Each structure stands twice: as C-alpha cells, then as structure tokens.
Amino acid sequence: MYRALLFGLVFAGLAACGDTDHGAATDQETDERTEAASAEAAAQIDTERLSEIVKILASDEFEGRAPGTPGDKKTVEYLIDQFAQLGLEPGGKNGSWVQTVPLIHTRVQVPAAIEFKVGGEAQTLQQQTDIEVSTVRPIESIAINAPVVFVGFGAYAPERDWDDYGEIDLRGKVALFLVNDPDFAAAPDEEVAGRFGNRRMTYYGRWAYKFEEAARRGATAALVIHETEAAGYGWNVASSSPGENYAVVRVESGEDPVTLQGWLHGDAAAALFAAAGHDLDELRVRARSADFEAFELDDVTFGADLSVQVESIDSSNVLAKLPGTSRPDEILMVSAHWDAYGIGEPDTQGRTVRPGANDDALGMAGVLEIARVLSAGPPLERSVIFAAWTAEESGLLGSEAYVVDPVYPLEKTVANLTLDILQTAGPARDVILVGEGQSELEDDLARAAAKQGRVVSPENLPENGLFYRADHFSLARQGVPVLLIMGIAGGADLVDGGREAGDQWIADYIGNCYHQTCDAWSPDWDLRGAADDISLFRTILEDLGNSKRWPKWKSGSEFKAIREQSAESRSGP
Ligand SMILES: [Zn+2]
C-alpha cells in the first residue's frame, strides 16, 4: 500500500517537472522525439509494472487476500488507489468505487447423522467418506426425511430436445444426479453422441447446474454421484472442505437454493441402488437415452439431522469506469478476481500465506495495465468497466453478487473479458481458447492474435469444463458474451521450448503451486507472454469500444436463448 502510494507521488512529481522543462526547452525536436518514444512505451502493456503489482498484492502484508480478513481491506484500498491514480471514475454503487458483497460462510457440524433407509433398513453415511454435504442457506439446523428420486443426468435442455424430468414432481424430495452430461461416456455410434458436445462438458454437466435445476423444481436436497473421470477430479477434491460452503446473501429471495447439497461417493450410491433393486451401472447407460425419465426409488428415504454454523462476511467488488464518449450506456467489461486462499497450514518451509500471485494477482495486474493504457489513449465511444471481483475461490461469488444486482444493465453489456491465471514462461506462438464454439468473441480473439502474428489453439482438456469455472461464467449465465484467458487451459506453444514446454509449465504450476503457498511472486518470471495475452484483450476492447457491433453467442451455445430475450434493447449488428 505505502509503496504504491510512494510510486504514485514520485510519478506525479516527475510529470510536473516534465511540464516545467517543456516550457523552458531549447531543443524542441529532441523533446518531441522523447515524448513520442515515451508515449509509444506508455501505450504498451508493461511487464515491469505487471511484476511490481503482483509483488505487492502477493506480499505477506496482504495475507493471501481472503475475503473478510484484514488482507481484504488492504487489497480493496490498494485497487481503489491504483484506479484513482490512473484517473478513472468510481464505477461502483452510488458513485463509490465498490459494490458491497455480503456473504455467508456455513459449516455443517460433524458428527452429522445422515442415512438412506431402504425398506426400513438404514444405510448410514459418513460425512467426507460416503457423502459430502453442505448448505448455502443461512440456517442453523437441517432436518430432512424425504423420498429419493433418481434424475439421471438431470438435464432439462429444450434446445437439445432433451428432458430428464418428464412428469416427475421433485417438491420436497431428494434428487440424485449422475455427474457430467448425457454423452460424456457415450460411444460414437450411440444416438446421444454429440448431443451435449461429446467429451466437452456443457453446463448441464456441472454440479452447479444440477443444484440449480433441483432448486427450480422445489427439491429439498440434491446429491451428485461422484465418478472421478466424469467429474474431472477425485473424491479427495470433492470432499476437501467437508461441510463448508459460502454463498452470496440475496437481497430479495427469488429462487431459494436447495437446503442440502453435495456429493455421494460412487460406492455408497452403488450400495443404495443395489439394496433398492437397481443396478447403478445399468442406470448409467439408460440415462444416456433421450427416453430416460426420472423415477422415485420405491420405499427409499434420505434422512439428515444436522446443525449448521453460520458466519456473515462483508466483502467488496471494486469497480472503475472509463466513460464512453458517444454511447456511454454500452458497457465493455474486463475483469479478474482479487481474492486468494488466505492463510493455511505451514508448508515445508514454514510459509502459511497462500498469496495467489499467479491466481489471480497477475490477472488483476493485467486489468490495471489495460486500465492504464486505455485511459492514456484516445477515448472510446463505449464505456469500459474494470471489475475486481471478490470471493471467486469460494464459488465465483463476487461476480455472482454483481449479476444478482448489476450496477450496469446486463442486456447493454457488450462483453465480459476475464483474466484468470496467465502463464509466466515467456512469449508464445498461440493463445489458448477456453469454450470453443461458444461465442463470436472467439473470432475477435483470433483477429487480435493475428495482429500479433499468433494463432488461437483450443484448450486441451475441455471435459474439465474450465469454461464454467471462472468469474466470466457468472456473466455468461445471464447471457453476456464472454471471453476467458486462463493459463492452465492448455499448454501454450512457447517460443522457447514449444508445446512441450508449455505443458510442462502447467504441470509444474498445477502440481506444486496452484492454490498453495508456492503460488508466489518470482523475479524469474518471464511475463512477455502474459503481456501479449493481456494486449489481446486491450485490442479487443479498443475495437469493440469504437464499434456498434454486439457479439453474439453461437448456435448450440446454452447461453444464446437468454441473451436473445433482451435483443430489443440493443441496436446495431
Ligand atoms: Zn483464479
């Protein structure tokens, strides 16, 4: 904080001196050349400034930037200070720099009594071993005793002519889901193949969708049957924070979430179905058919009697604005999340702060650098909003709070561009596209990349559904076209070492540092590739900022329909 302030003062001082010198200059030519050169340099994304910002945000002083901690306050103050120094306007609520994000942190108490009853016979479930349940409701106790419905993949996808629910009534019941989407495990000759993007996970495959669909249908609880390959991660990850959850406190209670949600271990699920006279493997195949319909398990109930610890946390999104000249109500948004994992257990070197240097202080630095370059350049016709989200790591909650109560109308938001983790291994010949085939913004990305002499490559693990796992997704769900650059979506083709070196960088980062103490700032980073990636967003913003174009979702995207509902509020192509 104080270092940044110092930097700002020195910078302001130099600028003042420069003005005085200019007036007294005798060699005007030299002056103009110097000015042109410094203007040229100032117009580029600066690797040194990126490094300096990350060094500050990832320092111990910021305590790993966990929401609701002293590190939260420091980070928010730092970001406001940075945006203010750049001459941006406050972009938050009521002329302020922030949007308050009230959160709840819940913890289901252990030991918890949880069981299935099949024909009166109890099957006891151990939290974290057989089941992992939590709640996103601010309630102090949970008592459930309800029938169980197997809903297959639980997809209600009219645009794909698919409905797993039929006539079933889920109100007051427990919905049991398969993970991923109906064609994930299908053979190429099965009728379902390709209906849900094949191996690429659609939103219907994510647990978040399943919990929401269960809530829309009035279910009291939703459980997803865990399978490692289809989930993209093991039971150890699924059950890593047993009983814990975070949620945005909703201003108005529209759609209440389910009371209890979580994972059911595959073995516990198989035992349940066997006792109830079904074969889970056979049901998995049946659920891949369009004819499948959800059904209630005969004489089966789910019981849970739990107490819950609820804590309130106030955090903030930081929002800054560069107003557009002629169409200020048309909004371009570029964002990153400021939060990280806070303080945890000591590592082998005794470090406890998990500083989130790459994830996502570097993305945040990218947003600040774009703000600096755009605010110094020619004004744009449309407004640009720079958003720094809180509580991404707790479940995309800062961005979720924004879409629940948007400061700028979402239907007039042209696009959201999100930076979340950038590679630090130097220049690359390509940029990795997450969510291929989703929106026309991928064509903007390709054009911007071509200007740099680079190409776009698709992510190499689309079945992991990274498109659904960063803040841009909160906006996408509301129909705003989005573009994500995420350095772990696939190995870049590095100028030094090629794809192999790019893959190796990801393996090292994920294996050692992701969400750990070692995600720390390093003087050895080569940020030239990251700066190029950030420049791609800058180019897209400048292009769309002076355009009347409204990029659209591509046909087949699950977000096309919701965007089209507000088509009338947008003019132009
Ligand atoms: Zn992140």
Side-chain angles (χ1 to χ4, degrees), residues 263-329:
W263 292 98
L264 181 62
H265 194 284
D267 295 345
L272 167 72
F273 282 101
H278 297 278
D279 179 72
L280 178 56
D281 287 334
E282 189 250 325
L283 284 176
R284 283 197 173 107
V285 176
R286 241 174 79 194
R288 303 208 291 254
S289 156
D291 302 334
F292 172 84
E293 259 186 37
F295 63 91
E296 195 168 313
L297 297 177
D298 278 340
D299 212 9
V300 173
T301 56
F302 173 82
D305 198 354
L306 316 164
S307 67
V308 185
Q309 215 175 56
V310 186
E311 170 196 16
S312 297
I313 294 173
D314 263 343
S315 193
S316 309
N317 293 326
V318 179
L319 296 155
K321 182 179 190 172
L322 195 58
T325 51
S326 56
R327 281 168 289 130
D329 60 327

Side-chain angles (χ1 to χ4, degrees), residues 156-163 181 183 194-197 200 202-204 290 438 468 556-559:
Y156 174 68
E159 80 286 3
R160 286 158 214 260
D161 199 16
W162 193 278
D163 176 10
D181 57 35
D183 68 355
R195 288 276 275 274
F196 288 82
R200 182 175 73 80
T202 63
Y203 185 40
Y204 302 105
Q438 282 284 2
Y468 309 98
S557 167
E558 53 272 59
F559 312 107

Side-chain angles (χ1 to χ4, degrees), residues 81-289:
D81 182 52
Q82 290 291 307
F83 284 126
Q85 280 185 39
L86 295 172
L88 269 65
E89 291 181 8
K93 285 268 178 185
N94 309 317
S96 80
W97 289 100
V98 297
Q99 173 181 38
T100 304
V101 179
L103 300 171
I104 54 159
H105 178 204
T106 62
R107 205 186 290 262
V108 166
Q109 296 301 289
V110 180
I114 312 169
E115 63 179 22
F116 285 117
K117 263 199 180 129
V118 184
E121 286 282 306
Q123 293 187 345
T124 309
L125 300 164
Q126 278 312 321
Q127 171 84 320
Q128 202 174 5
T129 309
D130 307 311
I131 196 165
E132 196 289 306
V133 284
S134 62
T135 186
V136 291
R137 283 201 187 189
I139 46 179
E140 280 167 7
S141 64
I142 293 171
I144 297 173
N145 185 8
V148 177
V149 176
F150 176 65
V151 299
F153 293 95
Y156 174 68
E159 80 286 3
R160 286 158 214 260
D161 199 16
W162 193 278
D163 176 10
D164 283 328
Y165 296 93
E167 298 299 306
I168 197 91
D169 181 1
L170 278 187
R171 280 174 296 177
K173 296 175 188 167
V174 176
L176 214 47
F177 290 83
L178 294 172
V179 69
N180 216 307
D181 57 35
D183 68 355
F184 174 75
D189 61 345
E190 282 181 54
E191 212 199 312
V192 66
R195 288 276 275 274
F196 288 82
N198 290 318
R199 297 285 288 182
R200 182 175 73 80
M201 193 192 273
T202 63
Y203 185 40
Y204 302 105
R206 293 283 301 159
W207 51 256
Y209 165 78
K210 295 172 198 278
F211 296 158
E212 284 161 15
E213 191 60 39
R216 275 192 285 276
R217 293 168 183 272
T220 190
L223 298 172
V224 180
I225 299 168
H226 181 263
E227 289 169 76
T228 297
E229 206 197 337
Y233 43 82
W235 178 254
N236 59 330
V237 172
S239 64
S240 61
S241 348
E244 233 187 313
N245 222 320
Y246 289 84
V248 176
V249 177
R250 304 206 168 231
V251 196
E252 61 211 86
S253 63
E255 221 163 61
D256 278 330
V258 289
T259 303
L260 196 69
Q261 64 187 49
W263 292 98
L264 181 62
H265 194 284
D267 295 345
L272 167 72
F273 282 101
H278 297 278
D279 179 72
L280 178 56
D281 287 334
E282 189 250 325
L283 284 176
R284 283 197 173 107
V285 176
R286 241 174 79 194
R288 303 208 291 254
S289 156

Side-chain angles (χ1 to χ4, degrees), residues 372-420:
R372 183 183 63 78
V373 170
L374 291 188
S375 61
L380 303 174
E381 292 166 17
R382 285 168 160 167
S383 297
V384 183
I385 298 299
F386 302 87
W389 308 125
T390 181
E392 190 270 353
E393 304 289 10
S394 321
L396 319 182
L397 297 181
S399 52
E400 173 67 19
Y402 180 87
V403 300
V404 167
D405 186 19
V407 183
Y408 306 92
L410 298 175
E411 62 271 19
K412 298 278 265 186
T413 301
V414 182
N416 168 274
L417 312 182
T418 293
L419 295 169
D420 198 349

